[in-house]
Amino acid sequence: MSSQVLIEAPGVHRLAPHTPRDPGPGEALVRVHAAGICGSDREVYQGNRPEGYVRYPLTPGHEWSGTVEQVGAGVPASLLHRKVVGEGFRNCQVCDRCHAGETTLCGAGYEETGFTQPGAMAPTLTLPARLLHPLPDAADLTAAALLEPAACIAAAALKANARPGERVAVVGTGTLGMFAVQFLRANSPSELLVVGTRRDREALSRQFGATHFRTKDDDLPGGFDVVIETAGSADAARTAAGLLRRGGRLVLTGIPAPGADGLDPTDLVVRQLEVHTVFGAPPDAWAHTVRVFAAGLLDPLPLVTHELPLAEFPYAIELVGSGDPKVGKVLLRP
């Protein structure tokens, strides 16, 4: 019998029997190829996910790729056997925010695959077919398992609206930072600076398109038109704001610890900075990500350092939180 990861309560998990759920009307059953682990999965396991944004017991897994095996009534048969990725937010489709395309702000409340709904750390996942994004037949499903974090950064890139020839920067050199570099590079900037805490990330940053690299302890230049912050700390947010010219555009994607000191409101007003934030990815960001990936402009594979079976979930969680510079994206393979 196949197994799934089941987190019964913070710090308590087991491998539980998995029975595929046949798709109902409007649904599809996907055979999971791989599921990625990120910091929010560690939050779920450790019990420090914000209240209302997790529901136990739970099978985690919001970053995934797979192949459609069954479809329910009303779903086009052409979706069968397609390689796919899928949006996580289970939006209502009828509130004003959903009609505006802002599904991550759905007025019906928060529901998301891998947090309040069963996730992909299991052999199969059944979900609304409308959330699926088909991939090219030749797509690498291991690489595609990273398209969920890429879509979150695509949302940031779309909000940043970087124009060709602008000076742009990324603060943070993890998975999200490296995706931000790739999306910004596609807009033909005149300069693309990456700021991180680890000098060993310089080579990868330049491989993805950075023209300059600094650590946060270096003397940092200013005057940038656009900065995307991906590091998830208040210090990183302040560093990102400091890089901008007056009237520059800042997009924050990281979530600092509760109670962290924020940006200086006087500085924001006096310099007329335009500040955006991102929590998840709406449909336009997903569609943008899949297009860029299909065009060969997005290369997630170099970010993957570990592929493990579901039984090694505790070790995978430990790896993600280890701080080891040799650990990048960790995938679980059902």
Side-chain angles (χ1 to χ4, degrees):
M1 178 177 290
S2 58
S3 299
Q4 63 187 353
V5 174
L6 184 68
I7 301 177
E8 298 181 297
V12 180
H13 92 285
R14 63 186 174 92
L15 286 182
H18 174 77
T19 301
R21 180 174 71 80
D22 290 337
E27 293 185 323
L29 183 148
V30 176
R31 175 67 56 179
V32 176
H33 173 81
I37 294 181
C38 80
S40 56
D41 295 304
R42 293 186 70 242
E43 291 176 354
V44 170
Y45 185 57
Q46 294 172 344
N48 49 21
R49 179 88 169 157
E51 185 178 356
Y53 290 87
V54 63
R55 189 160 56 239
Y56 303 99
L58 174 72
T59 294
H62 61 286
E63 304 177 2
W64 58 270
S65 63
T67 304
V68 176
E69 282 200 348
Q70 296 181 44
V71 296
V75 178
S78 59
L79 200 58
L80 277 169
H81 312 305
R82 290 295 304 272
K83 295 178 179 179
V84 294
V85 290
E87 299 175 33
F89 284 82
R90 305 293 186 92
N91 53 85
C92 74
Q93 295 188 285
V94 296
C95 72
D96 61 340
R97 292 301 88 205
C98 284
H99 280 303
E102 298 175 337
T103 55
T104 59
L105 300 175
C106 177
Y110 173 77
E111 293 286 346
E112 186 176 3
T113 300
F115 296 106
T116 63
Q117 298 289 331
M121 293 186 192
T124 69
L125 174 65
T126 301
L127 73 168
R130 61 183 171 80
L131 299 178
L132 297 178
H133 289 261
L135 301 171
D137 291 340
D140 184 326
L141 283 177
T142 299
L146 277 69
L147 292 189
E148 191 277 341
C152 294
I153 293 302
L158 291 172
K159 288 189 175 186
N161 191 28
R163 304 174 184 92
E166 288 192 314
R167 298 179 68 217
V168 301
V170 175
V171 176
T173 58
T175 298
L176 297 182
M178 294 302 95
F179 279 135
V181 172
Q182 295 183 64
F183 278 114
L184 289 174
R185 176 197 60 184
N187 289 324
S188 301
S190 63
E191 180 179 349
L192 203 174
L193 169 70
V194 174
V195 179
T197 59
R198 292 166 38 190
R199 180 63 67 179
D200 63 298
R201 298 294 277 184
E202 179 173 1
L204 190 59
S205 299
R206 291 185 180 275
Q207 176 184 328
F208 285 139
T211 59
H212 299 80
F213 184 93
R214 300 283 189 277
T215 69
K216 64 183 184 64
D217 297 322
D218 294 333
D219 289 333
L220 298 177
F224 285 84
D225 300 287
V226 168
V227 179
I228 296 178
E229 176 276 326
T230 68
S233 71
D235 182 59
R238 288 190 292 272
T239 296
L243 293 170
L244 287 165
R245 64 168 172 81
R246 294 192 69 201
R249 307 186 296 284
L250 172 63
V251 186
L252 304 175
T253 70
I255 303 177
D261 292 333
L263 300 173
D264 180 356
T266 300
D267 179 57
L268 298 181
V269 173
V270 170
R271 293 202 291 140
Q272 298 185 68
L273 299 183
E274 184 179 318
V275 181
H276 298 272
T277 61
V278 168
F279 179 68
D284 64 338
W286 273 98
H288 182 62
T289 300
V290 171
R291 283 195 299 269
V292 173
F293 178 65
L297 299 175
L298 192 68
D299 185 11
L301 211 53
L303 301 174
V304 178
T305 59
H306 294 76
E307 296 182 60
L308 303 170
L310 288 181
E312 295 197 43
F313 171 75
Y315 175 55
I317 288 289
E318 181 181 328
L319 278 175
V320 170
S322 68
D324 186 338
K326 295 180 181 179
V327 177
K329 176 57 70 173
V330 178
L331 300 182
L332 292 180
R333 297 286 297 272

